[in-house]
Amino acid sequence: MAHHPSSAGTGRYRVRLVLASAALLLGTQGASAGSIRDTAQATLDSNPEIGIVKSNRHAVDQELRQARAGYYPSLDARAAAGPEYTYFSGDRRRASRGDDGSDSDSLIRKEAQLTLSQMLFDGFETRSEVERQTARVSSAAYRVQETAEFTALDGVEAHLEVLRYQEIVKLSEANLTQLERYLEQVRDLERGGRADSADVEQTQARIAQARASIASARGSLADAIATFEQIVGERPANLLLDAPPLAALSAGAEESALLASVTSPSVLIAASDVDVAEAELRGTRANYLPRLDAELSASAADDVNGVEGESVGASALLVMRYNLFRGGADIAREREAFQRVNQTRAELQRARRRAEEEARISFNALETARARTVALRAEADAQRRTRDAYAGQFELGLRDLLDVLDAENQLFTARVALTTAEFTDRFAVYRNLAVVGTLLDTLEVTRPREVISIYRAPNDIQSPGSVRDKSRLLVEPRAEPRPLRGEDAGEPPIDALDAAKAVR
C-alpha cells in the first residue's frame, strides 16, 4: 500500500516555506529604498565606472593646463663645476699666458647661468595644442555623460529584475498553494472511494515540480539581488514599481533614430574627437613657419677655458629659429594628421549609425513587448477561465484530475510569461531614453559635475548641425603625395591648393 504524507507533515512544510520566504525578503532590506529614480541616483553616486571616467576627466584637465603653460615664460637655472683641461697654441698661448711657458693648463671650472625665455611666435603651435586639449576635455566630459546614462540604465535594469523575480516567486508560491489544495481534495475523494492512489501520486508529483520551481525562482531572485548590489552598491529595500515615463519617448522608431544620431552621448564623444584631430592638423602646420623667442640670460663663471679669474656676462636676445629642410617629414606629418581627421569623421559616421540602430532596436523591443503583453494577458485570462471550468467539472466527476493539473500548470506558465513581458516592456522605455541621452534628465537624476566643461565655448557645443557637418569626409589636394613639381608632372593646379587652404 502506498504511503501518503500526513496533513501535519504538509502543514510543517508550509510553515518552513513561509519562514524561508520571510528570511529571503528580510535579506533584501538594506540602506536603499524606493523608486527607480532613487536607484539610478544611488548608482551614479557609488558605481566605480563613474569614478573611472571622472578621474580621466580630471587628468585631461591637467593636460590642458600643461598646454597653456606654453604661453608663459620659462625660467631655467644652470650650475656646473669640475676640472677642465685646456690646451693653447700659437698666438692664443702667448696672449692668454703672457709668456713662453706651458701651452696647456688644468683648472677647476665653476659656472652658473640664469635664462628667462618667452615664446613670441611659434607658428600657432601652442594655440593649436590648447585647442586640441580643450576638445579632449569636451570629449572626456561627454564620456562621463555617456557612462552616467548607461550605468544608470544598468541600475534601472537591476531594479526591475529584482521586482520581476520577486513577482515570479510569489506566483510560484501561489501555484504550490493551489496544488496542495488539490492534494487535500484528492485525498478526500480517495477516502470516499471516488479517486485512487494514482491521482494522489500524480498530484504529489506536481507538488514536487512546483517546489523545484520555487527553488529555481528564489535562486534567480538571489542572483538578481547580487547583481543589484554590484551595480548600485547596496542591497535593495522596498523597491517601488514606478510608472514608466512614456511621455518622454519619441513618436516612433525613425524619430527616435534621428534624434539619437545627433544627441547620443556616444555620438557627441565621436564629434569631439573630430575637433581633437582637426586641432592636431592645424598644429602640424606650425613647422612651416619660424619660431621667435625672447631670451634674457645672465651668467657668472670662474676659471673658464684655462683663464684664471672671474667672468660675468648678460644678454638680451631675440632668437629666431627656422627649419629649412627636414627630409619631407613636415609634409608627411601634415598628411598623416589630415588622414587622422578623416578617420575620426568616419568613426563619427559609424557612431551615428550605431546610435540609430540602438534606437530602432530599443523602440522595436518596446513595441514587441507591448504586443506580447497584450497577447499574454489575454492568454492568462483564458487559461484562468479554463482552469476554473476544469476544477468545477472535476468536482462533479466530469473531468479527469490530469486535465485540472495541466490547466493549472498552463496558467502558471502563462502568468510567468506575462510578468516577464510586462517588465521587458518597462525596461525598453528606459533603454530608449538612455540611447538618445535623455534618461537622467527624464528621471531628474543629478549628473556628475564632470559632465560640465567650463572651457566649452558656444561654438564648441556639438549641435545637431555641427554633428552632421563633421560626419562628411574632407578632400584636400595637399594631402596627396607629390614627388614632382608642376602641373605637367601631375601636381594639382595652384588654385586647387588655395581652395584646399579654406577647407579647415
Side-chain angles (χ1 to χ4, degrees):
M1 183 175 181
H3 174 73
H4 306 294
S6 64
S7 299
T10 302
R12 286 194 297 272
Y13 176 78
R14 288 178 177 174
V15 171
R16 290 195 300 269
L17 182 61
V18 171
L19 292 176
S21 300
L24 183 60
L25 292 176
L26 287 174
T28 63
Q29 305 300 314
S32 114
S35 65
I36 285 180
R37 179 197 175 280
D38 296 333
T39 296
Q41 188 67 67
T43 302
L44 296 190
D45 292 341
S46 66
N47 194 285
E49 295 293 334
I50 302 298
I52 291 172
V53 292
K54 286 168 62 175
S55 296
N56 176 70
R57 161 64 200 281
H58 291 308
V60 178
D61 284 345
Q62 300 307 312
E63 292 185 59
L64 174 58
R65 292 190 177 186
Q66 295 174 42
R68 287 182 167 178
Y71 288 125
Y72 296 95
S74 174
L75 184 62
D76 298 281
R78 179 180 181 274
E84 179 185 53
Y85 171 78
T86 306
Y87 173 78
F88 300 97
S89 63
D91 293 338
R92 180 175 180 182
R93 178 189 66 191
R94 289 189 291 273
S96 60
R97 301 289 296 170
D99 54 36
D100 294 332
S102 172
D103 58 0
S104 64
D105 202 354
S106 296
L107 298 173
I108 301 299
R109 176 176 178 140
K110 301 174 285 295
E111 61 183 8
Q113 185 178 31
L114 189 65
T115 302
L116 176 67
S117 60
Q118 171 64 57
M119 182 274 294
L120 301 179
F121 179 72
D122 62 353
F124 308 107
E125 182 178 10
T126 298
R127 186 180 73 177
S128 299
E129 179 62 14
V130 170
E131 291 174 350
R132 188 178 80 90
Q133 294 297 345
T134 302
R136 292 187 67 236
V137 170
S138 183
S139 176
Y142 283 127
R143 191 168 298 280
V144 175
Q145 178 181 343
E146 176 196 42
T147 305
E149 289 280 344
F150 288 101
T151 302
L153 180 64
D154 291 340
V156 170
E157 183 179 17
H159 183 111
L160 294 175
E161 282 294 279
V162 171
L163 292 177
R164 181 169 77 92
Y165 281 111
Q166 285 178 347
E167 183 63 26
I168 291 176
V169 168
K170 292 178 182 178
L171 292 175
S172 300
E173 293 173 346
N175 180 58
L176 175 62
T177 301
Q178 183 62 37
L179 290 176
E180 289 176 338
R181 291 196 188 102
Y182 288 141
L183 179 60
E184 296 296 331
Q185 184 179 2
V186 169
R187 283 177 175 164
D188 291 340
L189 293 175
E190 181 189 24
R191 285 191 288 268
R194 297 173 54 192
D196 55 24
S197 60
D199 292 334
V200 176
E201 296 293 344
Q202 179 67 262
T203 307
Q204 288 178 333
R206 295 300 180 95
I207 289 176
Q209 183 180 8
R211 289 172 179 170
S213 297
I214 291 177
S216 177
R218 286 176 176 167
S220 298
L221 175 57
D223 292 343
I225 291 173
T227 301
F228 186 98
E229 286 189 82
Q230 183 269 326
I231 295 173
V232 183
E234 49 195 40
R235 292 183 67 81
N238 303 323
L239 300 184
L240 303 176
L241 187 59
D242 303 327
L246 298 176
L249 291 176
S250 301
E254 291 307 313
E255 291 80 358
S256 179
L258 181 62
L259 181 61
S261 70
V262 292
T263 63
S264 169
S266 302
V267 171
L268 301 182
I269 292 171
S272 296
D273 290 342
V274 173
D275 295 337
V276 173
E278 290 182 344
E280 187 170 354
L281 172 61
R282 291 190 293 271
T284 62
R285 293 166 180 163
N287 293 328
Y288 298 139
L289 301 173
R291 178 185 176 95
L292 191 63
D293 295 276
E295 294 184 0
L296 301 178
S297 177
S299 62
D302 190 18
D303 298 339
V304 177
N305 297 328
V307 178
E308 296 181 357
E310 297 181 356
S311 62
V312 178
S315 63
L317 304 176
L318 193 62
V319 181
M320 186 193 77
R321 297 177 179 85
Y322 192 13
N323 174 260
L324 300 178
F325 181 70
R326 212 190 309 269
D330 294 337
I331 296 176
R333 184 184 175 196
E334 181 190 8
R335 292 170 179 166
E336 175 199 357
F338 177 81
Q339 297 302 329
R340 296 298 181 193
V341 170
N342 271 344
Q343 176 185 342
T344 56
R345 286 175 174 256
E347 290 172 348
L348 174 57
Q349 292 178 2
R350 181 179 63 183
R352 293 185 64 192
R353 291 190 180 186
R354 286 181 175 175
E356 292 173 358
E357 177 193 24
E358 285 291 327
R360 290 190 181 99
I361 290 176
S362 62
F363 209 93
N364 293 339
L366 173 61
E367 294 181 338
T368 301
R370 286 176 175 174
R372 280 179 51 82
T373 299
V374 172
L376 290 172
R377 184 174 291 112
E379 178 186 356
D381 290 341
Q383 291 292 350
R384 179 187 55 78
R385 291 192 297 269
T386 300
R387 188 277 313 269
D388 293 343
Y390 281 12
Q393 294 171 1
F394 174 70
E395 292 179 357
L396 299 175
L398 302 177
R399 179 71 62 177
D400 293 336
L401 174 64
L402 184 59
D403 295 336
V404 178
L405 296 178
D406 288 342
E408 190 68 42
N409 182 69
Q410 291 171 0
L411 174 59
F412 168 69
T413 302
R415 284 175 171 172
V416 171
L418 174 60
T419 298
T420 299
E422 289 175 341
F423 278 92
T424 301
D425 183 352
R426 290 174 178 272
F427 176 70
V429 175
Y430 297 102
R431 179 187 176 190
N432 187 268
L433 296 176
V435 169
V436 299
T438 59
L439 176 62
L440 299 183
D441 291 340
T442 301
L443 296 179
E444 298 181 351
V445 172
T446 302
R447 300 184 180 189
R449 64 183 181 88
E450 286 78 8
V451 304
I452 302 173
S453 174
I454 62 174
Y455 311 109
R456 190 183 295 153
N459 293 335
D460 298 330
I461 296 176
Q462 306 299 340
S463 64
S466 66
V467 169
R468 296 188 186 96
D469 291 341
K470 293 172 185 177
S471 301
R472 292 192 290 269
L473 298 183
L474 300 179
V475 177
E476 185 176 9
R478 291 189 306 166
E480 300 301 325
R482 300 194 306 273
L484 300 176
R485 306 293 296 178
E487 294 184 33
D488 294 339
E491 184 179 35
I494 189 65
D495 56 346
L497 296 179
D498 293 339
K501 295 179 181 178
V503 182
R504 296 183 62 176

